[in-house]
Amino acid sequence: MRKNLFYLLIFIASNTFAQNNPIFERLTAIANGGTIYYNIDGYSITKETLNFPFTEKGLKKIYRKYKIRKDDPRTTDSSIKTKHTYVYNNDKVTTGIVQHNSFYFLENKKKRVDIIRFSNINKLDKAFELSMLTLILDNKIPKANFSSTSTDSINFAGRQIKLGDPCRWMDVNSVQCPGHGQINWSVYKDFESANNAVQYQFEITKAKRGGKVISEEEVDVIFEDTEVKAKKVIYDFKGINSLLAGMSGGETLTIYYVTAPVRANYVGCVLSHWNNDVIQENGLPLLLGEVMSLKE
């Protein structure tokens, strides 16, 4: 009886921790095709299993798949009890913008390799990675944090939004509705992190080939019931041989970069639409109008 009571108390404590952990207020996950994708605080995280043994030979094959370079350091972490190898590298995206990549190669119960990868722009937080790694390995991510692969209804930073059939996920927290716009977002615990991430996206957009920024201004918007400033940018593809523009049939892309407090956290959001998308009377296509309005 005492033993059963002990395990019951452990279960209750664990369940209470999962419910009260503030990470779960900001975390979104999608499971698709054997791979799980997570988004939180600007981090893009993936977990998948490869049918290779956790041996030197097996890991070499995986390193090639993930483009791990020979000079990328390979270490272990004493706080991780599972047999593993940790690899870190980074990629320069453009001037002042670096993508940090952490790879955790772990031996699972079937002696195969689980890979958990963390990527973020201009940010490397090892303590956060280890806390998320523990939650993932211990299966502590609540089902409520998982979004369906369908976009009939999406969780936008804690609010359910119903969408139509044409919409599709482009990534975790990135939805496109052809002819009606596209949005991507991440939820952060503070304003500075959210604002920095949005600015990084703007810098990456400016640096991309295949188009050019022709106008940039600040506009007043209402984002999830909060009045804020948004950076409005028009990106021109006219006369430029661009695959992106060719697929859409558009010539200019209007992009809004927004940082705002939303339901006790902060959201960094990028909203965009083509000049040939269906624009409503409010000046925005349907998808963008679900979360934002232009202030007159």
Side-chain angles (χ1 to χ4, degrees), residues 62-256:
I62 295 173
Y63 293 157
R64 286 196 293 270
K65 172 181 171 65
Y66 281 89
K67 299 180 180 179
I68 302 297
R69 299 178 285 264
K70 289 184 178 180
D71 58 347
D72 291 337
R74 296 155 173 73
T75 61
T76 59
D77 191 306
S78 60
S79 67
I80 303 173
K81 303 309 177 185
T82 305
K83 187 177 179 181
H84 70 283
T85 298
Y86 169 72
V87 180
Y88 164 80
N89 62 29
N90 61 62
D91 300 299
K92 181 180 178 181
V93 181
T94 187
T95 304
I97 305 291
V98 175
Q99 177 174 300
H100 297 278
N101 306 303
S102 291
F103 300 86
Y104 296 84
F105 302 94
L106 306 112
E107 184 179 54
N108 62 29
K109 293 179 180 180
K110 295 182 179 180
K111 305 298 181 182
R112 302 286 113 175
V113 180
D114 287 339
I115 304 113
I116 301 178
R117 176 186 178 181
F118 295 79
S119 294
N120 206 342
I121 297 294
N122 284 10
K123 183 178 180 181
L124 178 65
D125 186 342
K126 195 71 184 297
F128 171 79
E129 291 180 8
L130 291 174
S131 65
M132 275 297 302
L133 187 77
T134 299
L135 291 172
I136 293 170
L137 291 177
D138 292 346
N139 293 316
K140 291 285 184 65
I141 308 297
K143 290 183 179 179
N145 287 88
F146 282 81
S147 294
S148 167
T149 54
S150 166
T151 55
D152 291 343
S153 179
I154 66 169
N155 183 337
F156 184 81
R159 180 171 72 89
Q160 291 297 127
I161 300 175
K162 292 187 179 296
L163 301 177
D165 291 335
C167 302
R168 57 177 179 259
W169 290 112
M170 306 303 289
D171 202 339
V172 184
N173 289 0
S174 179
V175 177
Q176 182 188 73
C177 300
H180 302 288
Q182 180 170 341
I183 60 175
N184 75 74
W185 71 96
S186 193
V187 184
Y188 302 80
K189 61 183 176 181
D190 60 72
F191 175 85
E192 183 179 8
S193 298
N195 200 48
N196 286 343
V198 167
Q199 181 63 26
Y200 298 151
Q201 289 202 54
F202 170 61
E203 296 295 337
I204 292 170
T205 300
K206 281 203 306 183
K208 282 184 177 179
R209 296 180 178 179
K212 62 180 180 179
V213 173
I214 59 172
S215 73
E216 176 186 339
E217 63 177 324
E218 278 198 344
V219 295
D220 295 312
V221 302
I222 300 174
F223 187 87
E224 290 291 272
D225 298 325
T226 300
E227 295 183 14
V228 294
K229 296 281 188 182
K231 184 192 294 287
K232 179 184 178 182
V233 174
I234 298 181
Y235 203 66
D236 186 21
F237 290 92
K238 288 182 289 189
I240 299 172
N241 184 15
S242 167
L243 176 62
L244 182 61
M247 291 172 62
S248 70
E251 294 182 337
T252 61
L253 185 68
T254 299
I255 311 173
Y256 296 90

